[in-house]
Amino acid sequence: MGKKIAAYPGSFDPITYGHVNIVKRTAERFNKLYVIVMNNPNKEYLFSLSERLEMVKTDLKGIKNVVVDTFDGLLVDYLKRHRIFNLIRGLRAVSDFEYELQMANANRSLFPELEIFFLMADTDFSFISSSMIKEIANYEGDISKWVSKNVEIKLKEKLSK
Ligand code: ADP
């Protein structure tokens, strides 16, 4: 059942070192990891899908076994179409749990063959979220410890507009 392929979906608005950490740890344990930049028409993003895709591709360049893709439909449809039966999500704090539990139950109900793996955020990155990065960047705070140079530049450009 496609044992060695996994998917890691997210908004990546923008990608942080917390995301990169999850990708690196997962890519070592699967033959292929699909990192899927999701586009939900009901969500408001700071960056467009193509901007988010570019930043994800740039930050993940050189990590073996990783394929970056985008999708704007229902995640389980993408997974079924590509015969991916392993889903990866990250957990930072108890506050992530309720949302992730609800999503996991919905996805498993829509796609019973799916297994969902939760990785605990590395302690160094456990407090990093895309929204916190955007807020700090908005006040011109230093975000260089949490995102790549490329993301830092793109955030500066975006927020100065
Ligand atoms: P979504 O809108 O799907 O929550 P995100 O880009 O915010 O998209 O997050 C994608 C996944 O990465 C989620 O499972 C989230 O919990 C996880 N994640 C985000 N930041 C971190 C981090 N610093 N450490 C570990 N996992 C993280």
Side-chain angles (χ1 to χ4, degrees), residues 8-12 16 18-19 22 43 89-92 96 99-100 121 125 128:
Y8 177 45
S11 305
F12 305 104
T16 70
H19 295 125
I22 296 287
K43 266 198 187 176
R89 297 287 288 174
L91 282 178
R92 284 158 295 189
D96 282 339
Y99 172 72
E100 292 293 341
F125 308 115
I128 306 176

Side-chain angles (χ1 to χ4, degrees), residues 134-147:
K134 284 180 277 194
E135 194 163 331
I136 297 172
N138 203 21
Y139 292 108
E140 292 170 27
D142 181 10
I143 52 169
S144 60
K145 270 191 289 202
W146 306 313
V147 298

Side-chain angles (χ1 to χ4, degrees), residues 76-88:
V76 289
D77 290 338
Y78 182 98
L79 301 176
K80 285 176 186 171
R81 192 184 306 157
H82 290 81
R83 301 189 56 73
I84 301 171
F85 301 97
N86 301 302
L87 183 63
I88 309 293

Side-chain angles (χ1 to χ4, degrees), residues 14-17 20 47 54-56 58-60 133 137 141-158:
I15 184 168
T16 70
Y17 286 159
V20 176
F47 292 101
E54 182 277 327
M55 291 184 282
V56 168
T58 303
D59 278 16
L60 302 184
I133 300 287
D142 181 10
I143 52 169
S144 60
K145 270 191 289 202
W146 306 313
V147 298
S148 66
K149 195 79 206 159
N150 180 52
V151 169
E152 212 183 325
I153 292 167
K154 296 285 153 62
L155 264 169
K156 273 194 189 134
E157 280 173 11
K158 180 66 82 180

Side-chain angles (χ1 to χ4, degrees), residues 9-14 19 36-38 43 45 52 56 89 130:
S11 305
F12 305 104
D13 186 36
H19 295 125
I36 312 165
V37 184
M38 298 294 295
K43 266 198 187 176
Y45 302 99
R52 288 182 281 130
V56 168
R89 297 287 288 174
S130 300

Side-chain angles (χ1 to χ4, degrees), residues 45-144:
Y45 302 99
L46 177 65
F47 292 101
S48 69
L49 180 60
S50 62
E51 289 170 328
R52 288 182 281 130
L53 175 66
E54 182 277 327
M55 291 184 282
V56 168
K57 277 191 170 163
T58 303
D59 278 16
L60 302 184
K61 210 187 302 172
I63 304 178
K64 263 197 294 180
N65 306 339
V66 170
V67 178
V68 182
D69 200 0
T70 61
F71 193 60
D72 62 5
L74 198 59
L75 178 65
V76 289
D77 290 338
Y78 182 98
L79 301 176
K80 285 176 186 171
R81 192 184 306 157
H82 290 81
R83 301 189 56 73
I84 301 171
F85 301 97
N86 301 302
L87 183 63
I88 309 293
R89 297 287 288 174
L91 282 178
R92 284 158 295 189
V94 183
S95 50
D96 282 339
F97 184 79
E98 223 169 316
Y99 172 72
E100 292 293 341
L101 179 68
Q102 193 180 21
M103 291 277 293
N105 284 328
N107 284 328
R108 296 244 308 163
S109 173
L110 293 167
F111 187 13
E113 297 92 337
L114 186 66
E115 197 55 84
I116 307 174
F117 296 82
F118 292 95
L119 267 73
M120 293 293 171
D122 196 288
T123 42
D124 289 347
F125 308 115
S126 59
F127 58 92
I128 306 176
S129 65
S130 300
S131 47
M132 191 197 73
I133 300 287
K134 284 180 277 194
E135 194 163 331
I136 297 172
N138 203 21
Y139 292 108
E140 292 170 27
D142 181 10
I143 52 169
S144 60

